Amino acid sequence: MKAVVWHDVGDIRLDEVDDPKIVEPTDALVRITTSAICGTDLHLVRGTMPGMQPGTVLGHEAVGVVEETGAAVRGFSQGDRVVVCSTIACGTCSYCRAGYFAQCDTANPNGPQAGTSFFGGPESTGPVAGLQAAYARIPFAATTLVKVPDSVSDEQAIMVSDVLPTGWFGARLAQVGQGDTVLVLGAGVVGQCAIAAAKRRGAARVLVVDGIADRLATARAQNAEPIDFNAEDPVATVRELTGGIGVDRVIDAVGVDAQRPKSGPAAQNLPVSDSTLEAEREKAAPQGRTEGAQWLAGDAPSLAARWALEAVAKAGSVGVIGVYPPNFDAFPIGAVVNRNLTVQGGNCNHRRYVPGLLGRVARGDIDPTAFITQRADPVSIIEAYETFDRREDGWLKTIVPM
């Protein structure tokens, strides 16, 4: 079958690979009908999430049809239409039973302390072959798959595989509640989903920071208040808009691939020196590219985290859903202690939220297809990756009908 395969930093290809097969009795084989390209995939190609193994099939978002089930899979049958949760979970360990599916003790073959296992990730996550392919083996299918309601389209369901639950998780981590003023850092698709989640959790006001005009325009369409970091200092603007206090809650939907402002007061008023940011980039992505126009590692790895802690009010809370690799340790802990802040971060416990969000989509409470801006043929998926990586206008979320 055809699949998107990682070969090296900056080198992905559409290759012929072996068809997957049932390996464990808890597996299912799914024919992928729709996949997608995610910002997390770009981290893998840019080298800001190290440890990728050559030959790994990429992709962690999919909707499909069950083709075959292992002997221990009781809740699904051939022909069932399903969404694949991006993170893999056994459903029976103490962490899964408590709702911490991303910290499953069983799913990651590297052992209980290895952390989250997800499709198409580095060696530390499995690795497990990804979902940008014609077919995929789904471990622990009873938990990792969720049946799609008949009234929910493939395009709606693919957004519930990862980005919508992650945005919802971010609002929950930030403790967004009734009447809160919320800041979302990053207006990519996860940031857009975080805006939608914050509003549905009762936020009275949502501000959003980004440097790409069309992403800020999409946020404005959700009645969020845009702040362009290439034209304004986001921390100063947040303080101005909140009477000098700061926001109640912040959601960091950027992570380690943050970019420095190219112009304006923020470019002259970075919270740390250029040399500090360069050292952070070298540690976060030692093999990452720093020159050229393609696959560049972010040049300000801690910037979103620093802005988050500066923009939040005293005794406020910050939820971190942006990707930071395990070896990244540049975090201003002093600000947390001295300002009585609450900071929570993590990988989304997808299985906890996917069923309820599918229900919300089915009822019309959320239509995540508003954030889909591109549809790529599998033959042109590598070109789509490249364009998405360059952050060109009109490339917010790309889905791939398989």
Side-chain angles (χ1 to χ4, degrees):
M1 65 175 184
K2 291 285 189 181
V4 178
V5 178
W6 191 97
H7 289 267
D8 202 345
V9 172
D11 182 5
I12 57 172
R13 308 171 199 171
L14 187 63
D15 289 345
E16 290 276 354
V17 301
D18 292 340
D19 290 348
K21 295 178 172 58
I22 297 289
V23 176
E24 301 290 342
T26 50
D27 291 348
L29 188 65
V30 170
R31 174 173 56 85
I32 306 300
T33 56
T34 304
S35 188
I37 303 173
C38 181
T40 301
D41 299 324
L42 295 182
H43 293 310
L44 303 173
V45 187
R46 291 170 181 161
T48 46
M49 188 180 289
M52 286 295 291
Q53 298 297 296
T56 301
V57 175
L58 289 176
H60 56 268
E61 299 169 279
V63 176
V65 176
V66 174
E67 292 287 305
E68 184 182 351
T69 58
V73 179
R74 297 173 180 265
F76 293 94
S77 302
Q78 184 179 19
D80 284 345
R81 191 162 150 263
V82 292
V83 62
V84 183
C85 295
S86 295
T87 48
I88 303 163
C90 73
T92 58
C93 73
S94 62
Y95 284 94
C96 287
R97 290 168 69 112
Y100 295 104
F101 294 97
Q103 295 302 320
C104 174
D105 260 350
T106 308
N108 195 323
N110 295 298
Q113 296 302 317
T116 307
S117 180
F118 67 91
F119 293 96
E123 184 179 20
S124 61
T125 69
V128 180
L131 306 176
Q132 289 168 2
Y135 293 87
R137 179 181 76 89
I138 310 300
F140 303 104
T143 304
T144 308
L145 297 178
V146 178
K147 193 168 183 180
V148 179
D150 291 340
S151 61
V152 175
S153 69
D154 266 23
E155 289 200 353
Q156 291 173 317
I158 191 63
M159 301 294 282
V160 186
S161 179
D162 179 28
V163 292
L164 187 56
T166 300
W168 194 271
F169 182 57
R172 188 173 186 273
L173 287 177
Q175 303 178 9
V176 175
Q178 200 71 33
D180 282 342
T181 296
V182 180
L183 173 65
V184 176
L185 290 165
V189 69
V190 172
Q192 302 292 341
C193 291
I195 294 168
K199 287 182 170 292
R200 283 157 181 79
R201 290 178 63 91
R205 189 180 186 191
V206 180
L207 316 178
V208 60
V209 172
D210 205 291
I212 300 177
D214 70 326
R215 294 184 180 184
L216 291 171
T218 301
R220 186 185 287 110
Q222 294 197 73
N223 301 119
E225 301 175 48
I227 300 170
D228 182 349
F229 66 64
N230 288 312
E232 305 174 87
D233 183 316
V235 175
T237 302
V238 166
R239 294 271 174 82
E240 180 183 348
L241 293 173
T242 58
I245 297 170
V247 294
D248 304 300
R249 320 290 173 204
V250 178
I251 302 169
D252 173 2
V254 179
V256 73
D257 265 321
Q259 290 189 308
R260 295 180 216 178
K262 297 179 177 62
S263 59
Q268 306 302 319
N269 191 33
L270 292 171
V272 292
S273 67
D274 289 345
S275 61
T276 296
L277 294 176
E278 287 297 338
E280 290 176 2
R281 176 161 65 170
E282 175 63 28
K283 182 167 185 178
Q287 296 179 303
R289 297 182 181 179
T290 59
E291 297 180 353
Q294 198 75 61
W295 311 123
L296 297 178
D299 61 3
S302 70
L303 185 57
R306 295 180 190 277
W307 278 348
L309 298 190
E310 291 182 6
V312 71
K314 293 183 294 184
S317 54
V318 177
V320 181
I321 50 175
V323 171
Y324 292 93
N327 68 330
F328 190 73
D329 58 6
F331 188 78
I333 189 67
V336 175
V337 174
N338 287 295
R339 304 187 68 233
N340 281 53
L341 304 179
T342 298
V343 179
Q344 295 190 78
N347 296 317
C348 181
N349 302 302
H350 290 89
R351 186 57 174 79
R352 183 169 185 164
Y353 305 110
V354 167
L357 289 172
L358 282 171
R360 282 180 176 268
V361 171
R363 294 191 301 272
D365 177 45
I366 302 176
D367 182 12
T369 60
F371 307 136
I372 297 172
T373 55
Q374 301 289 336
R375 294 158 180 84
D377 186 278
V379 174
S380 62
I381 191 170
I382 304 302
E383 182 181 349
Y385 256 98
E386 293 170 347
T387 309
F388 182 39
D389 170 71
R390 293 192 296 269
R391 299 176 174 89
E392 294 188 8
D393 286 347
W395 288 77
L396 181 64
K397 184 61 176 178
T398 301
I399 66 168
V400 186
M402 304 299 289

